[in-house]
Amino acid sequence: MLNYWWVTRPKRKLNSIPDVLAVVAESTTEAIWVGSRGTHLSLESELEKSGLKRTGDRRDQTGGGGRTYKAWLVSLGLIFTQESTRKLQLTLAGEAILNGESPVKILTSQILKYQFPSAFSVGHGVNVNERFKIHPFWFLLKLLNDRRIQYLTQEEIAKIIIIEAEDESDKCYERIVSRLIAFRNLW
């Protein structure tokens, strides 16, 4: 069980999501996803052909790269695996992007809705601790808007926030603010 929050990200920027989503929708929605290594490898190949994933030797031949891209889209609420068919399906947000609606508007909404727990965070291979009941990006934005904080460093996020920010209560928020101020005063 993971005792911190995290976000899967095969790419650092979100601008490729519409293209990745289109490849996933075209190449995998009719194939059984769960337990199908061939489908995972096929998605990797299609992403490489489309220039969305780096080509070259793979660390493993198990389709882990395809699963990571799939997890990225699942975590953002753009696709899900239908239990009865074991196939990938688009969510309404995913369909909207593919239908030409503004990806910026949709992804902004999806990121602000990102939460722990979620179907992704408690899923196989992820398993974020159940103590986290938080919308992490809202929490980070609230900290950035706080006059006492104003900015966040990677070190502060890694050593304090993602480990200790469990929920959105005032008590938790003020504890994190106090911890950040104390951390900064060490230097």
Side-chain angles (χ1 to χ4, degrees):
M1 179 159 301
L2 300 177
N3 219 5
Y4 53 88
W5 14 288
W6 69 286
V7 178
T8 188
R9 56 168 186 76
K11 295 205 172 271
R12 293 182 188 274
K13 296 181 180 179
L14 300 178
N15 59 352
S16 64
I17 284 180
D19 296 326
V20 170
L21 184 61
V23 169
V24 168
E26 187 176 306
S27 64
T28 63
T29 53
E30 291 304 314
I32 291 177
W33 180 265
V34 178
S36 179
R37 193 169 282 168
T39 303
H40 308 168
L41 287 167
S42 174
L43 175 58
E44 264 188 87
S45 295
E46 291 302 318
L47 291 167
E48 289 172 353
K49 285 180 199 170
S50 300
L52 295 166
K53 182 182 177 306
R54 183 184 53 81
T55 58
D57 292 336
R58 295 180 178 140
R59 289 187 210 170
D60 63 43
Q61 294 300 314
T62 66
R67 287 191 302 277
T68 300
Y69 278 85
K70 179 246 184 195
W72 191 34
L73 299 178
V74 168
S75 72
L76 291 169
L78 302 174
I79 63 172
F80 66 97
T81 303
Q82 187 172 37
E83 287 185 32
S84 61
T85 65
R86 300 181 351 199
K87 295 180 181 180
L88 295 183
Q89 299 291 319
L90 295 169
T91 64
L92 294 176
E95 285 179 6
I97 289 174
L98 291 184
N99 288 334
E101 291 186 36
S102 169
V104 172
K105 182 179 175 184
I106 294 165
L107 289 172
T108 299
S109 174
Q110 294 302 102
I111 288 167
L112 292 175
K113 291 176 187 172
Y114 199 98
Q115 68 182 36
F116 296 106
S118 67
F120 174 74
S121 72
V122 298
H124 178 70
V126 180
N127 204 18
V128 173
N129 193 304
E130 63 208 28
R131 73 184 172 95
F132 295 107
K133 293 172 177 47
I134 191 167
H135 291 86
F137 298 106
W138 274 117
F139 195 89
L140 291 169
L141 287 171
K142 185 175 178 180
L143 288 169
L144 290 169
N145 282 318
D146 191 315
R147 284 190 212 150
R148 299 170 292 175
I149 302 300
Q150 299 181 5
Y151 68 91
L152 295 169
T153 66
Q154 288 180 353
E155 187 175 25
E156 291 167 341
I157 294 169
K159 290 183 176 177
I160 299 169
I161 299 168
I162 68 171
I163 297 168
E164 297 181 29
E166 297 178 340
D167 59 50
E168 296 168 21
S169 68
D170 290 339
K171 181 180 177 183
C172 178
Y173 180 78
E174 290 303 323
R175 184 172 42 81
I176 297 300
V177 168
S178 295
R179 288 275 292 119
L180 290 169
I181 292 169
F183 184 77
R184 289 175 182 178
N185 288 334
L186 292 174
W187 312 111

